[in-house]
Amino acid sequence: MDKLKELYKVYTGSECTKCEPIPGAGSNRKYYRLSCEKGKSMIGVQGTSRDENHAFCYLSKQFAQSKLPVPQVYAVSEDGLYYLQDDLGDTTLFDALKAGRDAGGRYTSHEKELLRRTISALPDIQIRGGRHIDFSHCYPQASMDTTNVLFDLNYFKYCFLKATGVDFHELKLEASFQLMSRDIANIPSNSFMYRDFQARNVMLDAEGNPHFIDFQGGKRGPIYYDVASFIWHARSGYPEPLKEKMLLSYLDALREYVEVDETAFRAQLHRFVLFRSLQVLGAYGFRGLVEQKAKFVIGIPAAISALKDFLEIPLDGYPYLMEVLKKMVAVLMVAVLMMTLCCACSQK
């Protein structure tokens, strides 16, 4: 915190009189709101990786030059572990959609418009934003490749699947993972893959316009991943008609940049919805079951329910993986039901 105060003073010429911690998400980065008596407030970031910090600062500069709504980075410490950026306020898209989630996915027309604006801006980041990026600055790697995909699939296997106790054949599952990794990595791409495009990483200004943060994990990769991440985000509980409207809004915006074969796009997207679902379960397993962070644990039932719905639509090419996932979902849905009944009984 002291390093950020020093950086603030050097940049603004004024003493920082207020420094408040801001709750973070799943990473080890720490965020603070810094201000002085007369100067504007800024967000101070304390990271643990110089390379990760550099990736964010570099990408922020490139996106700003492409006129994209991202926070400006004002100053970076000499050791690269601290930096100051725009204060975009406290309202995330996730916060703005709380009423719709609490209503069981019954989103108002205003909430739907916020979603439309956000998903329609995604191609700007992916295509226009990606045009002038030197992907060698990305962290931890320049492009999505088979190693990257296998890491996420094995993340799911070791941090979630094994914890369920579901029996499976290691070599058969590995064969499915190898095939999926090749299918995903072999998709030609020169666009920017945000990597964690979700409502928590979208800040809204007073007019409801989206601004984008936490893109430091982005890299060159297929555009389908971000679409799957946003529209099929399990905890958001978007109903199917709303998902379809968001997808059509995205495709309309994408056509401003490239020709779109909608049938082929949807086929590829289906594969990425599965891949993203497994990656999320791996993260929930590690952050929730291993690190015991409650907000990740409570997301598991929704993620399992979303996966159950997904498995109702056949995905060719990975029969053994589909078999294991159906077995896992069946076991966990029973467990969730038992937990619900226990909670209901205890409240009587």
Side-chain angles (χ1 to χ4, degrees), residues 80-296:
L81 293 177
Y82 305 84
Y83 58 90
L84 301 175
Q85 67 177 56
D86 270 330
D87 185 350
L88 299 177
D90 294 312
T91 304
T92 67
L93 177 60
F94 189 80
D95 295 333
L97 298 174
K98 183 178 185 302
R101 289 194 306 277
D102 291 347
R106 293 188 293 276
Y107 291 93
T108 65
S109 58
H110 172 67
E111 292 165 339
K112 291 176 182 178
E113 173 61 15
L114 294 177
L115 288 166
R116 187 200 64 78
R117 288 188 192 182
T118 302
I119 195 65
S120 296
L122 178 56
D124 294 336
I125 301 172
Q126 295 173 316
I127 311 298
R128 177 152 54 92
R131 283 175 179 166
H132 306 294
I133 291 177
D134 176 353
F135 288 101
S136 67
H137 289 274
C138 293
Y139 174 86
Q141 63 194 89
S143 304
M144 172 175 274
D145 58 17
T146 55
T147 299
N148 187 223
V149 178
L150 284 171
F151 175 86
D152 283 341
L153 293 174
N154 282 298
Y155 190 41
F156 159 73
K157 181 174 74 172
Y158 289 111
C159 294
F160 191 86
L161 178 59
K162 281 183 174 288
T164 67
V166 171
D167 185 52
F168 61 91
H169 193 290
E170 290 270 4
L171 292 180
K172 289 183 179 180
L173 187 62
E174 180 62 21
S176 292
F177 284 176
Q178 291 284 346
L179 181 57
M180 179 178 282
S181 69
R182 289 195 296 271
D183 289 342
I184 290 174
N186 287 339
I187 297 173
S189 175
N190 199 36
S191 56
F192 178 75
M193 189 180 78
Y194 200 114
R195 175 68 177 171
D196 196 16
F197 192 72
Q198 56 157 306
R200 293 185 187 275
N201 290 336
V202 178
M203 307 299 298
L204 300 178
D205 62 21
E207 288 73 41
N209 298 309
H211 298 258
F212 305 100
I213 62 172
D214 280 6
F215 40 74
Q216 62 278 342
K219 56 181 69 94
R220 181 194 290 113
I223 57 178
Y224 313 99
Y225 186 96
D226 295 329
V227 181
S229 298
F230 189 82
I231 298 179
W232 278 267
H233 188 265
R235 292 186 62 186
S236 298
Y238 301 132
E240 291 303 320
L242 180 55
K243 290 179 183 177
E244 179 64 15
K245 286 182 179 179
M246 283 194 282
L247 177 57
L248 292 176
S249 294
Y250 172 83
L251 292 175
D252 284 343
L254 182 63
R255 289 187 179 97
E256 296 293 320
Y257 294 100
V258 296
E259 292 185 8
V260 178
D261 180 335
E262 188 170 329
T263 300
F265 186 96
R266 287 176 182 269
Q268 285 286 16
L269 179 60
H270 196 51
R271 186 191 324 276
F272 279 83
V273 173
L274 174 61
F275 176 49
R276 177 60 176 167
S277 297
L278 300 186
Q279 192 274 336
V280 166
L281 284 173
Y284 283 2
F286 180 73
R287 299 295 185 185
L289 303 178
V290 178
E291 294 187 338
Q292 297 186 332
K293 294 182 178 179
K295 64 182 179 182
F296 291 96

